[in-house]
Amino acid sequence: MIHLYKSTALPVAGLSGFETPLGEEENAIQQTVHRFARDVMRPIGRQLDRMTPEEVIAPGSPFWTAMFEGAQLGLDPRLIAQFPPEMAIRIESLVGEELGWGDPGLAIAMGVATAPLMMAHAVGNQELVDMCTNKIGCWMNTQPDRGSDAAILQREELGAGGRQPVGNVTAKVGADEIVINGQSSAWISNGSVAQVALAYMAADYGDGFYGTGEKSTFTNGIAMIIPLDLPGISRGKPLDKIGQRALPQGEIYFDNVKVPKRFAIALQDDYLGNLASTWSYAGTHMSQVFVGAARAAFELALAYCHERKQGGIPLIDHQMTQLRLGDMLRRLEMARAVARRSLAYARTSPQSHPYVTAQAKVSVTEEAMKITHEAMQLLGGNATTREYPIEKMFRDVRSALIEDGENYVLTSRLGVLAGKLYQNGWTRE
Ligand SMILES: Cc1cc2nc3c(=O)[nH]c(=O)nc-3n(C[C@H](O)[C@H](O)[C@H](O)COP(=O)(O)OP(=O)(O)OC[C@H]3O[C@@H](n4cnc5c(N)ncnc54)[C@H](O)[C@@H]3O)c2cc1C
C-alpha cells in the first residue's frame, strides 16, 4: 500500500534519528536519559578524561557523582523487561544509546556495575541478590595469558593441537569452599572500584584443570560472585589508557582467597552456558552504547559544517561535504538497526549465542570508528586539538574495537559458527 504524502516536507527525525513514533513512556524515558547524558555524563566524562586514573577513582572524584546520579535514574533492566517485548527492546536501545552519546566510558561503567546483580537475579539466589544490591560490580573474565582465549566456546577456535590455557587466576573447588589464587587482566572494567565481581576462571575439581575425551582441550571452569572485600584480595594500579578514561580499569589479585561454594553460580557443565549468557548481555549493551558514541561524533561534525566556511561558503554547502555527512548518517542508521536487531534476537530468541551479539558489536564499533574518523577529518586541524571533543570521542571509540572481544577474533568466530550451523543443516534446504 502506498502511503500518500501531501508534500516533500522534511521527514520526522528525533534524538535517535529516523525513529518510528515513540509512545509517551518511551519518549519520557528517552528525554530523561538524554538530559542526564547531556548535563551530567558529558561534562563529567570530559573532566575525567583529563584526570589521572588515580584521581578518577579518588574519593570526591566526579566519577562517583556520575555513578550515584546514574543509579538514581532507576534504569533497572528488570523494570524495562516488564514492558511488552518490542517496547522493552526499544526502551533498552534508547537508554543505551543516550548513555553512549553522553560518555561511552561512563556508560560501560554504569552497565557493568549491575552485571553481578543481574546474574544473581537470573540464577534466583536471594543471598547473592542481597550481596550485590547497591554495589558496584565488575565482570572478571580475561587474564594476562588468557585474553581472547578466555572466551573460547568451540574446539575449532583452537589452533591444531592447541589447548585453552589455564590462565593466571584459578580456583580449587572443595566440598564447601573455593580457593582462588592469581590475578585478572588489567582490563577489568570497574576493576579498581568494584565491590563485587561476576568472575569466570579455570577450576580444578580434584582431577586437574582439563577434562577428558572431547573436553581435554578446554579447561574446566567455574563462575561465581565474589565479594571483593574478602581477605587476600588486593587491586593493581588503576590502568592508564588512551580511551574511555572515565571507565576505571585494573587488575584484581587473589592470594588464597576462600569463597563459600554457595557463591558459585555455574560449575563444570553449566560453565560455558553461563559465560555465554553474561557475554551476550554485555555485547548487546556495547552495541547500543557505541551507536550513541557514533551519533555524538556525527552531530558534532554536522554542527561544525554549519559554522566553518571554506571556499567562501559554509562547509555544508559543498557537495563533497554533503556526501561525507550523508555517508556518516547512513552508517549511523545502519549501526542502530544492527544493534537493535541483535538485541531483539538476544531477548526473544529461545537460543541466542554470544557470537551473534558479538557480530553486532563488531559491526557497530567498526561503523562508529568510520564515523568518528570522518568527523575528525571534517573538523580539520581543529580535530587534533584538545579544545574540541572529537579527539576524545575518537579515542573512546577506538578502544571499543578490542573491548568485549577483539573484532577480528569475534568475526572469525562468527565464521566458525556459520560452519557449525551449515554442518547442522542450516541453508541446505
Ligand atoms: C576498554 C576495555 C574494557 C574491557 N573490559 C573488560 C572487562 O570488563 N572484563 C574482562 O574480563 N575483560 C575486559 N576487557 C578485555 C578484553 O575482553 C580483551 O582485551 C580482549 O578480549 C582481547 O584480549 P587481549 O587484549 O588479551 O588480546 P589477545 O587475545 O592477546 O589478542 C591480540 C591479537 O591477537 C589476535 N588473536 C588472538 N587470538 C587469536 C587466534 N586464536 N587466532 C588469530 N589471531 C588471534 C587478536 O586478533 C589480536 O589482534 C576490556 C578491554 C578493553 C580494551
Side-chain angles (χ1 to χ4, degrees):
M1 203 177 102
I2 292 180
H3 195 134
L4 283 181
Y5 302 111
K6 290 203 181 326
S7 70
T8 53
L10 289 174
V12 174
L15 289 173
S16 44
F18 303 127
E19 188 74 79
T20 48
L22 296 180
E24 213 176 300
E25 273 162 319
E26 293 171 319
N27 193 42
I29 293 173
Q30 188 189 39
Q31 291 297 333
T32 303
V33 185
H34 183 67
R35 278 193 297 275
F36 171 72
R38 185 192 60 205
D39 301 339
V40 179
M41 294 179 83
R42 276 205 168 175
I44 289 184
R46 285 177 195 166
Q47 235 181 315
L48 295 171
D49 184 57
R50 306 283 173 100
M51 292 163 61
T52 66
E54 286 80 7
E55 287 166 348
V56 167
I57 62 167
S61 155
F63 171 76
W64 301 108
T65 312
M67 292 298 274
F68 177 75
E69 292 195 21
Q72 301 301 303
L73 289 175
L75 299 170
D76 186 335
R78 285 169 313 136
L79 293 179
I80 296 175
Q82 285 172 10
F83 288 106
E86 274 186 23
M87 191 173 164
I89 288 158
R90 190 148 75 162
I91 291 175
E92 198 173 337
S93 309
L94 295 171
V95 167
E97 180 174 331
E98 290 310 317
L99 296 177
W101 179 88
D103 186 276
L106 284 173
I108 299 299
M110 287 170 60
V112 78
T114 62
L117 178 62
M118 290 304 120
M119 180 51 79
H121 279 297
V123 296
N125 182 323
Q126 193 55 44
E127 183 185 12
L128 294 177
V129 168
D130 294 343
M131 197 165 88
C132 298
T133 299
N134 294 327
K135 299 271 171 58
I136 293 185
C138 68
W139 173 30
M140 194 188 96
N141 187 39
T142 57
Q143 302 157 20
D145 298 328
R146 197 161 128 130
S148 302
D149 283 355
I152 286 180
L153 301 180
Q154 317 278 352
R155 201 137 50 95
E156 290 80 350
E157 294 157 28
L158 289 159
R163 263 181 148 190
Q164 185 179 30
V166 169
N168 316 74
V169 53
T170 57
K172 208 158 174 43
V173 187
D176 305 312
E177 197 174 65
I178 305 156
V179 180
I180 308 174
N181 276 293
Q183 72 168 92
S184 74
S185 76
W187 312 113
I188 309 305
S189 299
N190 285 348
S192 45
V193 294
Q195 297 157 297
V196 282
L198 173 57
Y200 294 81
M201 63 193 72
D204 177 359
Y205 288 86
D207 298 333
F209 286 106
Y210 290 94
T212 49
E214 283 231 323
K215 292 182 179 166
S216 62
T217 46
F218 284 94
T219 57
N220 297 318
I222 189 166
M224 67 195 113
I225 294 182
I226 310 175
L228 292 175
D229 54 359
L230 290 177
I233 297 181
S234 58
R235 314 296 170 108
K237 212 167 125 53
L239 187 69
D240 202 2
K241 66 253 174 88
I242 62 160
Q244 297 177 43
R245 291 176 61 82
L247 168 69
Q249 290 177 279
E251 295 106 344
I252 306 177
Y253 292 93
F254 297 83
D255 181 8
N256 269 323
V257 175
K258 297 182 175 62
V259 180
K261 198 167 172 185
R262 61 181 197 280
F263 292 179
I265 48 165
L267 302 173
Q268 267 165 312
D269 291 343
D270 297 335
Y271 176 76
L272 284 181
N274 192 284
L275 173 65
S277 315
T278 302
W279 191 10
S280 291
Y281 182 75
T284 54
H285 185 60
M286 282 285 295
S287 291
Q288 315 310 320
V289 165
F290 285 93
V291 168
R295 185 182 113 206
F298 166 73
E299 289 178 3
L300 190 74
L302 182 62
Y304 188 82
C305 288
H306 285 81
E307 290 156 16
R308 177 77 175 161
K309 279 187 181 166
Q310 285 298 285
I313 52 171
L315 290 183
I316 188 65
D317 292 334
H318 288 289
Q319 210 174 30
M320 192 173 75
T321 311
Q322 293 159 358
L323 172 73
R324 291 159 73 188
L325 282 168
D327 192 56
M328 290 162 79
L329 179 53
R330 155 185 95 70
R331 290 181 185 281
L332 176 59
E333 284 289 325
M334 182 168 62
R336 186 180 285 118
V338 167
R340 290 200 189 174
R341 181 170 155 89
S342 92
L343 179 63
Y345 185 77
R347 293 288 173 273
T348 58
S349 166
Q351 183 71 46
S352 183
H353 194 283
Y355 296 174
V356 176
T357 44
Q359 56 89 26
K361 176 268 185 184
V362 172
S363 299
V364 168
T365 55
E366 296 291 336
E367 292 310 315
M369 195 71 250
K370 285 186 186 130
I371 292 167
T372 315
H373 180 271
E374 197 56 45
M376 276 200 90
Q377 222 45 32
L378 277 168
L379 263 75
N382 279 333
T384 65
T385 75
R386 292 194 127 200
E387 258 178 66
Y388 287 80
I390 190 65
E391 60 84 27
K392 171 184 177 294
M393 293 174 181
F394 185 80
R395 288 184 282 110
D396 286 347
V397 170
R398 185 62 187 83
S399 296
L401 306 189
I402 296 164
E403 181 174 12
D404 202 29
E406 191 280 325
N407 279 4
Y408 286 122
V409 163
L410 299 181
T411 307
S412 76
R413 287 179 179 172
L414 184 65
V416 171
L417 195 64
K420 292 281 224 187
L421 286 167
Y422 178 81
Q423 289 144 33
N424 205 34
W426 183 51
T427 75
R428 293 162 82 170
E429 280 166 25

